Amino acid sequence: MLDQLNSIEKEALASLENIVDQAALDAWRVTHLGKKSPLMTILGDLGKLSKEERPAIGKRGNEVKRALEAALEAKIETLHRAEMERSLKENALDVTLPGRPRPRGRLHPSTQTLREFYAIWAEMGFQVFRSRDVESDEYNFELLNIPQHHPARDMWDTFYTTTPGVLLRTHTSPGQIHAMRAYCPNPIRVILPGMCYRYEQITASKDIQFQQVEGLAVGKHVRMTDMLETMSEFARRIFGAEYTVRFRASHFPFTEPSMEMDVECVNCGGKGCSVCKHTGWLEIAGAGMVHPVVLKNGGYDPRVYSGFAFGMGPQRVTMLKHGITDIRYFWQNDLRFLEQF
Ligand code: DAH
């Protein structure tokens, strides 16, 4: 039986020599190391041998098994290396050729500004509240204290759908009503970003489609000083602490009192230039204390609750930051413009 083991070893190793491909190697493994191979049969039947024979045959059998396994490993390695060399030779790769650059995408400048807004307002405790672009007349006007024949409607003329009373929102303010109705009677601190639409003559500073970021804070004891400082702090964070802001009296039907916030012209530092029309100031936001009628429409009792709201134009901020002089560039999808940011 020892002779048999010796010849198994000799024969197996010899036939391994001639193998040059994976299929033949797999077959070899089955023939010589498989369950039904002569070697495995001998090892499997050790129990049938006499006590005297068993140790020597067992020892030699295991030696042969280890030798075949080691030879197999070495062969796998050799075939692998040969395959690699062959493929390197056949598919020669010129590593000195310059690579083709992959065009990398980037965020739209407006999206970049919006994300800055979100981060700053989040730090100040305001979360994003999404609301729809397609609105009803009721939400866009009526509930914001702008009745059917109010002259203020002229300022916010829009695109109407063929369904009566359904229109594209002219501002993000209707989102105030949605937010209040969703949260009432809890306190609110939200910003409402989104696209707005207006029936306008398109110019370098006005488009029929633009973004706004509305803000709304409602609670008990929310005061005008809260609004002044909150908005001033936002301006400091987005423009830098060196810029002064001012508030001017204004009028909006949905706030009382109403005001507008200006920031010192970031282009000329307040000296006066064409960007600020030689006033030294840039209008940044409309704002005010939420009108009692609007609070009531949102479900809050105006004798108990108060709030402030504002509406900003983030594209205006993007234009100031990057010295963009024409608002029409934003949605034209012109790569020559977009690739600059
Ligand atoms: N909705 C106004 C507009 O589009 C902007 C605005 C002004 C929003 C005052 C407000 C606000 O929330 O309090 O012109």
Side-chain angles (χ1 to χ4, degrees), residues 188-207:
I188 300 177
R189 266 197 249 172
V190 291
I191 54 165
L192 307 106
M195 204 61 93
C196 302
Y197 309 84
R198 282 189 202 173
Y199 184 70
E200 294 261 17
Q201 174 92 46
I202 299 175
T203 66
S205 56
K206 279 194 185 136
D207 203 346

Side-chain angles (χ1 to χ4, degrees), residues 156 170-171 173 176 198 212 214-215 252 254-255 286-288 309-311:
W156 286 295
T170 50
H171 47 181
S173 304
Q176 288 190 29
R198 282 189 202 173
Q212 275 193 344
E214 188 93 6
F252 297 102
F254 32 87
T255 45
F310 55 83

Side-chain angles (χ1 to χ4, degrees), residues 200-305:
E200 294 261 17
Q201 174 92 46
I202 299 175
T203 66
S205 56
K206 279 194 185 136
D207 203 346
I208 55 171
Q209 177 179 346
F210 59 95
Q211 290 174 322
Q212 275 193 344
V213 175
E214 188 93 6
L216 175 68
V218 177
K220 291 176 182 167
H221 316 298
V222 175
R223 295 170 306 179
M224 200 160 96
T225 45
D226 297 320
M227 178 187 81
L228 299 178
E229 184 47 29
T230 305
M231 294 187 70
S232 305
E233 178 60 19
F234 173 77
R236 282 194 285 271
R237 293 191 189 198
I238 194 108
F239 293 112
E242 62 277 24
Y243 291 99
T244 314
V245 293
R246 73 172 182 187
F247 292 87
R248 284 181 289 119
S250 184
H251 171 77
F252 297 102
F254 32 87
T255 45
E256 180 59 35
S258 305
M259 60 210 72
E260 258 154 276
M261 182 173 80
D262 297 341
V263 62
E264 222 178 320
C265 181
V266 291
N267 187 52
C268 64
K271 286 199 275 302
C273 67
S274 63
V275 174
C276 59
K277 300 201 181 86
H278 304 281
T279 61
W281 297 93
L282 295 164
E283 190 188 311
I284 285 303
M289 299 306 289
V290 182
H291 196 286
V293 167
V294 175
L295 278 175
K296 207 184 287 167
N297 289 339
Y300 291 83
D301 181 349
R303 287 166 306 181
V304 182
Y305 294 90

Side-chain angles (χ1 to χ4, degrees), residues 55-101:
I57 301 296
K59 181 163 170 273
R60 180 68 189 129
N62 278 316
E63 272 170 22
V64 173
K65 185 171 169 237
R66 273 196 297 275
L68 296 193
E69 281 169 350
L72 176 66
E73 283 305 312
K75 191 71 184 181
I76 289 173
E77 179 64 29
T78 313
L79 284 188
H80 194 75
R81 203 168 305 143
E83 170 59 24
M84 179 118 80
E85 259 157 39
R86 190 187 59 78
S87 110
L88 277 177
K89 223 177 275 165
E90 274 176 21
N91 314 314
L93 175 72
D94 183 354
V95 291
T96 63
L97 266 181
R100 292 185 199 95

